[in-house]
Amino acid sequence: MAHDGTAGSGISRRRLGGGVLALGGTLALTPTAPAPAGEPGKGGSPTRRPTLRYGSPERAGLLREPLEQLVADAETFLGPSPRHPWYAGAVLLAGRGGTVALHRPIGWAVRYAAYDEKTDTGVELPADRRIPMARDTVFDLASLTKLFTSILGVQLMERGALEPEAAVASYLPEFGGAGKQDITVRQLLTHTSGLRAWLPLYREPTREGKLRLLWNEAPLTAPGTAYLYSDLNLISLQLLLERVAGRGLDLLVHDEITAPLRMRRTRFNPPASWRSGIAATEDSREPWSGLERGMMWGEVHDENAYGFGGVAGHAGVFSCAWDLAVLARALLNGGVYGRRRILRPASVELMFTDFNTDFPGDEHGLGFELYQHWYMGAMATPRSAGHTGFTGTSLVLDPTTDSFLIVLGNSCHPVRTWRSGSAPRVAAADHMARAVAVRPVHGRAAWFTGMAAAAETTLALPPLALSAGGSARLRCALWWDTEPRSDAVFLEASHDGGAARGAAGGAAVWEPVPFTSARADGGEPRLHPAGTAGGWSGRVWHHVVADLSRWAVPGSRVRLRWRSRTDERYVGRGVYVDGLRVEDGGRCVFDESRAGDAERIEAWGWEAVRD
């Protein structure tokens, strides 16, 4: 099995626009003819979108320092993480628009000859036989293969050859046994079929035996009632695609994706001539592996994919960072790279739209995972799409900022038990998100919480005297993006004696201040009755207004503060505050832009930044 996320449960769908019809409670793409290379746009001229070229962070509209820190942090995982290296090496690629601003190899593509289970150490190759990572090193993508299989499925949908709401058994009758007759194509793509995560199909010596195990497999839950990530879903989709298209999956990937996009270092079963340019994976031996194969180098790591001859819907594709960047750019372009189109925009929309809205935390489009902080880090948004691979690979696309991040590591080299969690992926994604600047709306700097986990920060105004019966208001600009359901920012007030960070001698009491927010680029005001905001806000500035009349007490002074809190796991892009101003009737009692007032702000954890 090739996934390191968590399972949840169920499914619903959104109404989609542009080329997608809602028919009797089902979804169907408007059938279209295949899109040839050089397809003309509406004006009769070929459609052109950004293609990739190397450039500086500035050219990409990115901040240089976070990208440099991305590499520095990635290199720390070449050492104990916490006990063993997370990977022997990696290739990091990050870009925005048509500019690749970072493409850096680190560590070793091949470092170990074997794994010594008695001492839990890697048997290192002599220095002259080790192979360093290079920009064009090819990796076993593991579950990133699922994205290729999914793209092929959506291509057949837009051509009218496959219906997302149709039963899989209507195309592949053998699949319908053991209670699987109602599983739909969409449920395979969104992991809501009810099929278990994995089966040891490789133990059957023949292809017929492997398929018999799949045909006889019963769902663990009723289709559409639970989310469970499953390799069996994409193996089943592979068999369906091959039946409908009349070609093997390897030919389909070549003919429909890699050849049109000129991804020349992407394929199943790479030839022997590629071996020296491929990152090694695992010393495959029992009990940690299901097969005795020795050090895997140039052949697929996943046992079930190996059992299918290296070609499977869930694993088996090998590729390099640049080729994956081309695929990422094509998808962010709406399915086109240069003049070569592999999908129509409405089809890409299906892949980037959440069908699992009944199961918060398990957001999923057709093939792509969405909004997953556990490996997307602060790049995660409701529109961010991506996937991971068990061998240490990951891809994240953020349409909100038109940015992409590829982290390819050989984290199973020399053995799968050395790696744990997704810390390198999260760290890289956090730095990539930070590299996309948030520009202040007032003056040259804005207050920023930073992006630290397990942190509580406060930004406090000085004590202010407000007129009783007046119309005191706090006004400011607020920008927030925090991990949903866990991290948040709070607006709070305290009367005399309220220390900015909490209790002074244990006496301070802070109360929530309700406020309204409205997007600076338009939209209806939103009420925050509990004085808090969190989750996704569109990554745009909001105008905030808070009524302070409740705290206008004669002979008393009030302190106001913004307090941010993050938990120990993941964080979003953070919180920014700008243009703090308190008005009391016709007078201004505090204005951050006024000489001297800014110096009276007390900040713990917040910093003034000039992105």
Side-chain angles (χ1 to χ4, degrees):
M1 186 175 65
H3 193 271
D4 39 4
T6 56
S9 55
I11 193 116
S12 71
R13 65 181 70 89
R14 279 188 187 170
R15 181 184 179 90
L16 302 178
V20 182
L21 303 178
L23 302 174
T26 66
L27 286 177
L29 274 167
T30 305
T32 60
E39 177 193 11
K42 291 183 179 179
S45 60
T47 302
R48 295 190 68 86
R49 297 285 182 89
T51 54
L52 297 179
R53 74 284 191 198
Y54 288 112
S56 66
E58 292 76 16
R59 182 175 182 177
L62 297 170
L63 302 175
R64 181 177 294 272
E65 184 177 349
L67 293 184
E68 293 174 348
Q69 193 61 46
L70 187 160
V71 176
D73 278 8
E75 289 176 336
T76 67
F77 292 100
L78 297 170
S81 308
R83 183 179 175 190
H84 299 293
W86 199 89
Y87 39 41
V91 177
L92 315 165
L93 188 149
R96 189 180 186 196
T99 302
V100 173
L102 172 69
H103 191 183
R104 190 78 60 85
I106 61 173
W108 301 96
V110 184
R111 178 176 178 177
Y112 303 99
Y115 169 68
D116 185 344
E117 67 271 25
K118 294 180 180 179
T119 60
D120 190 24
T121 59
V123 179
E124 296 200 71
L125 289 163
D128 62 346
R129 291 179 56 196
R130 298 178 199 169
I131 300 176
M133 284 292 182
R135 278 182 168 185
D136 62 351
T137 296
V138 169
F139 289 77
D140 178 344
L141 297 184
S143 281
L144 263 66
T145 300
K146 293 178 171 70
L147 301 182
F148 291 82
T149 310
S150 300
I151 289 170
L152 293 171
V154 176
Q155 284 178 338
L156 290 181
M157 291 178 193
E158 73 174 22
R159 297 170 189 177
L162 197 62
E163 294 291 335
E165 298 300 326
V168 176
S170 66
Y171 304 97
L172 194 65
E174 307 95 304
F175 178 84
K180 300 192 296 299
Q181 68 277 359
D182 294 328
I183 293 175
T184 67
V185 176
R186 172 176 55 79
Q187 289 164 351
L188 295 182
L189 284 161
T190 57
H191 295 284
T192 55
S193 68
L195 293 176
R196 72 178 67 198
W198 179 80
L199 276 175
L201 303 176
Y202 64 89
R203 292 179 182 169
E204 285 288 336
T206 66
R207 181 178 178 86
E208 291 73 21
K210 295 176 178 64
L211 296 182
R212 184 171 59 252
L213 284 179
L214 185 58
W215 306 150
N216 293 335
E217 177 69 13
L220 296 178
T221 59
T225 64
Y227 174 90
L228 177 60
Y229 180 89
S230 172
D231 287 352
L232 302 184
N233 287 323
L234 275 294
I235 294 172
S236 301
L237 182 63
Q238 169 198 357
L239 300 171
L240 184 160
L241 297 176
E242 292 179 336
R243 178 69 58 84
V244 171
R247 286 174 284 166
L249 185 67
D250 52 347
L251 290 177
L252 288 169
V253 167
H254 174 269
D255 295 348
E256 305 295 342
I257 302 174
T258 63
L261 297 181
R262 297 175 181 170
M263 298 167 63
R264 295 186 175 92
R265 290 179 68 78
T266 303
R267 59 170 293 165
F268 291 99
N269 291 325
S273 61
W274 285 23
R275 192 168 189 255
S276 63
I278 297 177
T281 53
E282 184 175 38
D283 185 0
S284 177
R285 289 183 282 124
E286 294 181 335
W288 56 86
S289 174
L291 294 169
E292 296 276 344
R293 292 189 286 161
M295 184 59 70
M296 296 292 92
W297 185 17
E299 66 178 357
V300 66
H301 173 263
D302 182 271
E303 293 92 343
N304 280 339
Y306 178 78
F308 279 109
V311 180
H314 71 295
V317 169
F318 285 71
S319 188
C320 65
W322 184 268
D323 276 12
L324 289 176
V326 169
L327 180 63
R329 188 64 262 162
L331 293 169
L332 289 169
N333 285 347
V336 63
Y337 188 79
R339 296 181 178 178
R340 295 176 175 266
R341 181 175 291 283
I342 61 168
L343 288 170
R344 296 188 182 275
S347 302
V348 177
E349 183 74 10
L350 284 172
M351 306 191 84
F352 287 9
T353 298
D354 182 22
F355 285 82
N356 289 2
T357 53
D358 285 348
F359 309 104
D362 294 318
E363 291 85 348
H364 218 289
L366 295 189
F368 275 88
E369 296 171 333
L370 308 173
Y371 209 16
Q372 298 298 309
H373 285 78
W374 68 269
Y375 70 91
M376 296 179 181
M379 288 185 73
T381 78
R383 297 277 296 166
S384 293
H387 217 285
T388 63
F390 187 78
T391 51
T393 58
S394 63
L395 168 69
V396 182
L397 315 178
D398 178 13
T400 305
T401 60
D402 199 29
S403 60
F404 48 93
L405 173 67
I406 295 156
V407 177
L408 301 181
N410 54 351
S411 63
C412 290
H413 186 53
V415 68
R416 69 185 69 185
T417 55
W418 276 19
R419 51 157 297 180
S420 177
S422 277
R425 296 165 174 151
V426 172
D430 282 352
H431 290 305
M432 181 59 185
R434 181 67 182 90
V436 180
V438 177
R439 305 297 183 190
V441 288
H442 302 284
R444 299 177 60 191
W447 293 100
F448 177 42
T449 57
M451 295 166 58
E456 183 162 292
T457 65
T458 59
L459 181 72
L461 274 60
L464 302 173
L466 303 178
S467 302
S471 54
R473 298 284 187 273
L474 168 73
R475 300 184 187 275
C476 66
L478 181 68
W479 190 107
W480 75 91
D481 176 60
T482 69
E483 184 190 1
R485 299 175 294 276
S486 61
D487 302 344
V489 63
F490 307 84
L491 180 60
E492 297 171 325
S494 176
H495 282 106
D496 287 346
R501 295 191 71 183
V509 175
W510 289 91
E511 300 175 277
V513 180
F515 62 90
T516 60
S517 66
R519 289 174 61 117
D521 59 358
E524 291 296 320
R526 174 186 170 191
L527 180 62
H528 301 258
T532 184
W536 172 248
S537 71
R539 292 197 175 175
V540 297
W541 284 100
H542 291 66
H543 296 305
V544 165
V545 179
D547 183 355
L548 304 179
S549 57
R550 174 182 169 186
W551 288 272
V553 178
S556 176
R557 292 176 178 267
V558 65
R559 294 201 77 164
L560 301 169
R561 73 177 184 183
W562 285 103
R563 178 173 61 89
S564 171
R565 184 191 64 209
T566 60
D567 67 6
E568 295 181 355
R569 301 192 69 192
Y570 314 113
V571 298
R573 180 59 177 78
V575 180
Y576 290 78
V577 171
D578 197 10
L580 288 159
R581 179 181 174 90
V582 177
E583 301 166 351
D584 187 12
R587 65 192 182 102
C588 173
V589 296
F590 182 88
D591 188 341
E592 181 185 356
S593 65
R594 191 164 57 189
D597 276 5
E599 287 72 19
R600 300 165 65 201
I601 293 175
E602 297 182 44
W604 284 270
W606 295 68
E607 61 177 330
V609 296
R610 294 177 170 87
D611 283 0

